């Protein structure tokens, strides 16, 4: 086993060369499925960074008007895109939109935005074919519950998949999604939902 520190700290320098070491990402990172790139959050920056796996060729992804990017970042199955959540700054209760960006940091686009203030789109999960993203629709309210929605990766056809559920995970074939549901207080159960991608 070979262990190496590709990312250590914004504030440390290599003791031999004097070069600044690549940034820490404090657990909020995702390695691309092809093993070529890594997406991460830096201690010194509230935005998303994408680099080669060794920390070189890093690019920053900023969402205009958003104070930070959520740790909900996930690669598409073919490693060509990332989906992530970012606050939109609307309303007294911060709403959160769903975004997609290419692996080189270009092509940033919003794929889903809440219908009203205070709603958060979190936990994005790509379908195995990369065409659909499932996510948690979260409302902090005593009268409304979390639900799982799906949207095409181009932002079309957002719709409810299953109510009173969160944390979607796709099956390998892409025909089912596992979600968590809280049927009674403090008791979570798993639910498997069949998905028709032709919707």
């Amino acid at each position: 086993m070979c262990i190496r520190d590709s990312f250590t700290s914004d504030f440390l320098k290599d003791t031999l060369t004097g070069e600044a070491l690549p940034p820490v990402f404090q657990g909020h990172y995702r390695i691309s499925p092809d093993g070529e790139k890594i997406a991460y959050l830096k201690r010194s920056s509230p935005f998303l960074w994408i680099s080669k796996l060794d920390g070189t060729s890093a690019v920053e992804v900023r969402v205009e008007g958003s104070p930070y990017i959520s740790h909900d970042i996930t690669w598409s199955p073919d490693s060509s895109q990332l989906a992530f959540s970012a606050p939109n700054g609307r309303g007294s209760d911060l709403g959160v939109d769903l975004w997609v960006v290419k692996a080189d940091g270009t092509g940033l686009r919003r794929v889903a935005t809440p219908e009203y203030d205070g709603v958060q789109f979190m936990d994005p999960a790509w379908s195995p074919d990369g065409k659909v993203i499932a996510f948690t629709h979260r409302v902090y309210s005593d009268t409304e519950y979390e639900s799982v929605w799906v949207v095409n990766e181009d932002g079309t056809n957002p719709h409810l998949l299953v109510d009173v559920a969160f944390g979607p995970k796709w099956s390998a074939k892409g025909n089912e999604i596992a979600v968590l549901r809280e049927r009674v207080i403090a008791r979570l159960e798993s639910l498997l939902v069949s998905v028709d991608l032709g919707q």
Side-chain angles (χ1 to χ4, degrees):
M1 177 185 291
C2 175
I3 299 176
R4 60 186 169 89
D5 289 329
S6 291
F7 297 78
T8 308
S9 171
D10 289 337
F11 312 106
L12 296 181
K13 290 186 176 181
D14 188 297
T15 54
L16 296 177
T17 66
E19 293 178 329
L21 294 170
V24 69
F25 45 74
Q26 301 187 89
H28 300 311
Y29 67 93
R30 297 290 183 270
I31 296 173
S32 60
D34 63 9
E36 297 293 322
K37 291 197 170 185
I38 185 168
Y40 57 95
L41 304 180
K42 290 171 61 171
R43 176 184 296 166
S44 62
S45 168
F47 302 107
L48 175 66
W49 288 78
I50 306 169
S51 74
K52 292 181 180 178
L53 199 55
D54 64 1
T56 61
S57 303
V59 294
E60 184 184 37
V61 178
R62 286 177 176 256
V63 174
E64 190 69 34
S66 180
Y68 63 89
I69 286 176
S70 167
H71 64 269
D72 291 341
I73 50 179
T74 182
W75 287 94
S76 62
D78 65 359
S79 302
S80 67
Q81 301 183 93
L82 282 154
F84 62 90
S85 302
N88 56 38
R90 294 198 318 268
S92 55
D93 296 321
L94 211 56
V96 175
D97 297 339
L98 191 64
W99 293 80
V100 167
V101 67
K102 292 180 181 177
D104 63 1
T106 65
L108 178 66
R109 65 190 192 281
R110 188 185 345 245
V111 295
T113 190
E115 65 277 20
Y116 52 90
D117 295 343
V119 177
Q120 299 184 346
F121 290 170
M122 309 292 287
D123 309 321
W126 292 86
S127 62
D129 63 6
K131 294 180 178 179
V132 178
I133 303 171
F135 59 93
T136 298
H137 179 290
R138 182 172 296 148
V139 182
Y140 290 102
S141 165
D142 293 334
T143 58
E144 295 185 62
Y145 297 94
E146 294 172 316
S147 55
V148 170
W149 286 51
V150 290
V151 62
N152 294 335
E153 65 88 25
D154 62 2
T156 60
N157 197 26
H159 61 274
L160 173 68
L161 181 68
V162 58
D163 216 344
V164 194
F166 61 96
K169 304 292 182 189
W170 290 86
S171 66
K173 292 182 179 179
N175 61 333
E176 292 182 313
I177 295 177
V179 299
L180 289 171
R181 171 176 275 178
E182 192 169 22
R183 183 160 287 185
V184 295
I185 294 176
R187 175 181 278 175
L188 294 177
E189 62 182 14
S190 294
L191 176 69
L192 197 59
V193 180
S194 294
V195 179
D196 178 8
L197 293 180
Q199 293 181 25

